[in-house]
Amino acid sequence: MRKSIQVIQTSKYDTGKWNNKGNFDLLQGKSDTDNTIDIYPEDEYQEWLGFGGAFTEAAAYSLSKVSKENQKEIIYHYFNKEHGLGYTLGRTHIHSCDFSLENYTYVEENDEKLQTFSIDREKKLVIPLIKAAIKEAGEELSILSSPWSPPAWMKTNGDMNHGGKLKEKYRDLWALYYVKYIQEMSKEGINIWGVSVQNEPEATQVWDSCRYTAEEERDFVKFHLGPTLEKHGFDNKKIVIWDHNRDLMVERAEKILSDPEAAKYIWGVGNHWYVSEEFENLSKVHEMFPNKHLIFTEGCIEGGVQLGAWHTGERYARNIIGDMNNWLEAFLDWNIVLDEKGGPNHVGNYCDSPVIVDTNEDVVHYNSSFYYIGHFSKYIKPGAKRIATNSKIETLSYTAFKNSDGSIALVVLNETEQDIPYTLQIEGKYINLISTKRSINTILI
């Protein structure tokens, strides 16, 4: 029987982060207030796969511009299981994305046999970073790899940027390109866990981008990517569709997954947080296709670096909680590190990151988002299962998971400027707590 709790807190108005506020005994009985958060440990939902971030060329380049000591510190704080965020997932871009130093591919122009295919560019910065992360984590990372655009000569607009589409005659060749990437990364000792079909297939961006309608994405998986992976012995690789915002994910998933010949190749649906916080759309997809998986594949704070900002961490926590409570199984942040400008980015699409390095002063900044992610990733371990919660308190956001060892982590987010008292109730016991203004608490039970 559970007898005590530990409270870990990070607050805008308190010094230090992940502060241990102490251990407290649970009291026998039931609260006489309606201001409760009730937890039901036996009522289980989805299993959690883990947290991670993206190994972009921009992240690797930014890290290379600071001292070896700072590089090691950042990797330690992200991937160490005992004292860091405990990341177990990663994401890579298949050749260039906007957070690359320029447009680039792995083949020479018009090489329709992929004879010149080479990932030598990734061996300079990205692969060494991934290997260092794996070493710190002490285990293989599950890496999702996503293309932003096929080579320009494979596209209708003759340009890696500005949208365009994959030419029909190159669909098999482009599918083989994924295989080549998986094979070459494997030669470097890096196992690719899965691939998404296309990053943001509904967006025409000024950077690397390529559009697919739902029918085109369905048919690419059904007739090209799925069979090609299978043919080369990679039918164990996960295929993720959509990899875009929540607002249109229901329609996209329904159109693709309703086709059994396409669906048989597909592991799940990826979502981003831009545009919309319609968390309920994840549940809609889950209800239609309960055997498919839901994974958050990208999110960041747009508009450049915001050192010291608090709302950035709150956005992370609010989105993580909202998605978790609607069947999400994994969370992949975008760039793990960026420089003082929020780049480099080859089209100037600067963004924020949980870790910012000042490459001029050799200084590391940990943003509120880094600590807010840690309130989940440090305490909700891979293999944990979400458990039922219930509350009438509309001013708090919360979620709870039960780890494999039976311990429970309840995360409570308060984005208001008011202290909010509440009573935690579990298995016939209770305790009175206060969620202080602009704070996040992880209660370990």
Side-chain angles (χ1 to χ4, degrees), residues 114-167:
L114 306 185
Q115 291 177 328
T116 59
F117 193 96
S118 170
I119 61 168
D120 282 352
R121 181 170 181 136
E122 312 299 3
K123 295 177 185 178
K124 297 174 184 175
L125 294 169
V126 173
I127 288 175
L129 172 56
I130 296 173
K131 287 183 175 179
I134 291 172
K135 183 178 180 181
E136 185 60 57
E139 65 178 21
E140 194 173 81
L141 301 176
S142 294
I143 295 176
L144 175 72
S145 300
S146 308
W148 267 243
S149 170
W153 53 271
M154 288 191 191
K155 295 176 67 183
T156 57
N157 65 341
D159 185 357
M160 288 188 76
N161 306 329
H162 308 104
K165 289 178 178 286
L166 174 66
K167 291 180 179 178

Side-chain angles (χ1 to χ4, degrees), residues 4 37 42 49 56 102 110 129-130 138 160 190 205 242 256 290 293 309 353 356 382 391 436 444:
S4 65
I37 295 178
E42 301 311 312
L49 297 179
T56 60
E102 61 192 340
N110 299 314
L129 172 56
I130 296 173
M160 288 188 76
I190 296 170
Q205 309 283 26
W242 188 227
I256 296 174
H293 305 271
S353 171
I356 296 293
S391 179
T436 59
L444 303 176

Side-chain angles (χ1 to χ4, degrees), residues 134-403:
I134 291 172
K135 183 178 180 181
E136 185 60 57
E139 65 178 21
E140 194 173 81
L141 301 176
S142 294
I143 295 176
L144 175 72
S145 300
S146 308
W148 267 243
S149 170
W153 53 271
M154 288 191 191
K155 295 176 67 183
T156 57
N157 65 341
D159 185 357
M160 288 188 76
N161 306 329
H162 308 104
K165 289 178 178 286
L166 174 66
K167 291 180 179 178
E168 284 190 36
K169 69 175 182 177
Y170 288 130
R171 287 178 180 172
D172 278 331
L173 188 65
W174 182 227
L176 185 60
Y177 204 99
Y178 295 64
V179 168
K180 292 279 192 181
Y181 177 78
I182 293 169
Q183 290 172 334
E184 292 304 307
M185 289 294 276
S186 179
K187 290 177 184 177
E188 295 303 309
I190 296 170
N191 178 50
I192 301 302
W193 171 84
V195 295
S196 68
V197 177
Q198 167 65 40
N199 178 74
E200 301 186 345
E202 276 281 355
T204 298
Q205 309 283 26
V206 297
W207 55 83
D208 320 61
S209 46
C210 183
R211 297 188 71 109
Y212 287 77
T213 64
E215 292 81 4
E216 288 166 343
E217 187 174 9
R218 176 198 65 200
D219 290 349
F220 181 66
V221 171
K222 180 177 176 179
F223 298 117
H224 308 282
L225 184 59
T228 300
L229 288 173
E230 191 172 66
K231 176 183 175 182
H232 289 85
F234 291 134
D235 50 319
N236 62 325
K237 303 302 179 186
K238 317 299 189 221
I239 295 178
V240 174
I241 60 167
W242 188 227
D243 200 0
H244 206 168
N245 299 327
R246 301 184 189 100
D247 57 338
L248 301 175
M249 70 182 294
V250 178
E251 294 86 345
R252 178 67 60 134
E254 184 172 23
K255 179 71 71 172
I256 296 174
L257 295 176
S258 293
D259 184 329
E261 292 305 306
K264 70 181 182 181
Y265 295 115
I266 295 166
W267 178 82
V269 183
N271 72 283
H272 299 182
W273 76 23
Y274 315 109
V275 177
S276 157
E277 292 191 357
E278 298 167 80
F279 306 122
E280 67 276 7
N281 283 351
L282 278 75
S283 279
K284 290 177 182 177
V285 172
H286 173 77
E287 287 160 11
M288 286 190 288
F289 306 103
N291 294 325
K292 298 303 180 183
H293 305 271
L294 296 165
I295 178 173
F296 184 88
T297 48
E298 184 188 315
C300 73
I301 306 297
E302 310 94 319
V305 174
Q306 300 185 46
L307 291 183
W310 206 255
H311 70 91
T312 56
E314 291 172 335
R315 184 181 181 187
Y316 271 82
R318 185 175 66 250
N319 277 266
I320 292 171
I321 290 171
D323 278 352
M324 279 179 156
N325 287 340
N326 286 277
W327 298 94
L328 190 76
E329 296 173 42
F331 180 89
L332 274 165
D333 187 25
W334 191 206
N335 302 277
I336 59 171
V337 185
L338 290 173
D339 68 14
E340 63 278 355
K341 290 182 179 179
N345 182 291
H346 72 83
V347 294
N349 179 36
Y350 299 127
C351 294
D352 203 4
S353 171
V355 177
I356 296 293
V357 291
D358 187 326
T359 59
N360 300 310
E361 302 294 330
D362 192 23
V363 174
V364 182
H365 300 278
Y366 293 91
N367 281 322
S368 61
S369 49
F370 179 85
Y371 297 104
Y372 270 58
I373 293 170
H375 270 273
F376 301 88
S377 67
K378 287 168 68 68
Y379 309 106
I380 298 172
K381 304 294 186 180
K385 290 190 176 179
R386 180 169 64 90
I387 54 177
T389 54
N390 184 51
S391 179
K392 296 178 180 178
I393 308 171
E394 296 181 356
T395 46
L396 297 177
S397 301
Y398 55 90
T399 192
F401 278 75
K402 181 168 63 176
N403 287 304

